[in-house]
Amino acid sequence: SVRGLHVGVGYEPARTLGGDLYDFLEYPDGALGIAVGDVSGKGTAAALSGAQAIGILRSLGRRRYAPHEMLRLMNDALCRKKIEAHFISLCYAVWDPRRRELRLSNAGLPYPLIYQRGKVEHIRVAGVPLGLMDATQYEERAMRLYPGDVVVIYSDGVVESTNRRRGEFGQDRLKRIIAENRRLGAGKVAEMILASVGRFARRVMPQDDRALVVLKHFKE
């Protein structure tokens, strides 16, 4: 927990070494940087690219950059230091407890979801994955959070998980699970999402890593 925000995480690699990632940057004024990413490919090379991305994030995180600026700087660095042509889809957000505001930019990850005012909707912010094109600019969206609001940032391995009939878990199921479990703590919501994906996929081996971060605003 940080001021005004409970945080939960879930992570299931498809192989021993995963290419999905998440990380947090804590700032002296109580702000929190939140990153969720997905490296193209799998195995050792993807894990190395993910470790490189986290190293760049933490190095840049010594200063509190706005989300769109953080993605721009990470993209520039990754374009200079590419490993085996991998690129990274990454969503980066900053929680400001004084304003009760979440600012968010996205570089190729699925649209995050937010439960607010009785319904679950996409946070529609998009961008080019990191490490593909030099001098890329990223959009940014700001939103005020209210007590009970839930935000879920996730990799595509969550919604693209398949069952024996080759059906996908999909966005609608994910939205329903968020709505049904919105009163639980952030960690429990993350647990319920991964458990639901696991039940859906059953004996089908995962083809992609699954990573997610759940944010829940509470009244101080």
Side-chain angles (χ1 to χ4, degrees):
S1 294
V2 295
R3 183 180 164 194
L5 201 68
H6 290 310
V7 182
V9 299
Y11 189 86
E12 290 182 349
R15 300 181 182 177
T16 303
L17 290 175
D20 280 8
L21 60 95
Y22 64 87
D23 204 8
F24 303 98
L25 302 172
E26 295 185 71
Y27 293 98
D29 64 353
L32 181 71
I34 304 125
V36 180
D38 180 2
V39 181
S40 63
K42 298 177 181 67
T44 304
L48 285 171
S49 291
Q52 182 187 55
I54 285 180
I56 294 169
L57 175 75
R58 291 182 179 179
S59 176
L60 293 170
R62 294 167 188 164
R63 286 186 55 189
R64 185 173 151 188
Y65 288 105
H68 74 279
E69 186 71 359
M70 176 66 85
L71 292 189
R72 184 188 69 80
L73 292 169
M74 287 188 69
N75 180 66
D76 290 347
L78 287 166
C79 283
R80 292 193 300 267
K81 301 178 179 180
K82 192 172 290 186
I83 296 179
E84 292 190 15
H86 284 281
F87 60 87
I88 300 172
S89 298
L90 189 136
C91 182
Y92 182 70
V94 174
W95 165 246
D96 185 336
R98 291 177 298 179
R99 297 183 178 182
R100 297 180 183 177
E101 182 181 73
L102 187 71
R103 304 188 73 89
L104 185 146
S105 291
N106 193 4
L109 217 62
Y111 291 143
L113 291 167
I114 181 169
Y115 174 86
Q116 190 175 65
R117 299 187 181 96
K119 57 185 177 181
V120 182
E121 296 183 313
H122 286 107
I123 302 172
R124 296 189 177 276
V125 57
V128 177
L130 306 176
L132 280 179
M133 297 190 301
D134 290 320
T136 301
Q137 301 296 318
Y138 293 90
E139 62 177 303
E140 181 174 309
R141 182 168 173 185
M143 62 200 69
R144 179 76 179 269
L145 297 188
Y146 300 91
D149 286 356
V150 179
V151 176
V152 180
I153 307 171
Y154 56 97
S155 66
D156 59 10
V158 174
V159 291
E160 293 179 2
S161 293
T162 58
N163 60 17
R164 290 175 130 181
R165 297 179 180 178
R166 299 181 181 242
E168 287 193 350
F169 185 77
Q171 298 281 348
D172 289 342
R173 285 186 179 86
L174 180 56
K175 288 180 179 181
R176 185 173 67 249
I177 292 163
I178 294 169
E180 290 173 349
N181 295 282
R182 65 190 182 276
R183 293 185 177 88
L184 301 178
K188 192 66 176 177
V189 173
E191 180 183 321
M192 295 297 288
I193 291 171
L194 287 185
S196 296
V197 174
R199 285 194 299 271
F200 176 82
R202 292 191 180 179
R203 295 182 179 86
V204 176
M205 292 294 293
Q207 300 300 306
D208 200 359
D209 304 323
R210 301 164 185 163
L212 60 97
V213 168
V214 178
L215 312 172
K216 185 171 183 179
H217 182 38
F218 65 90
K219 188 174 182 179
E220 297 177 73

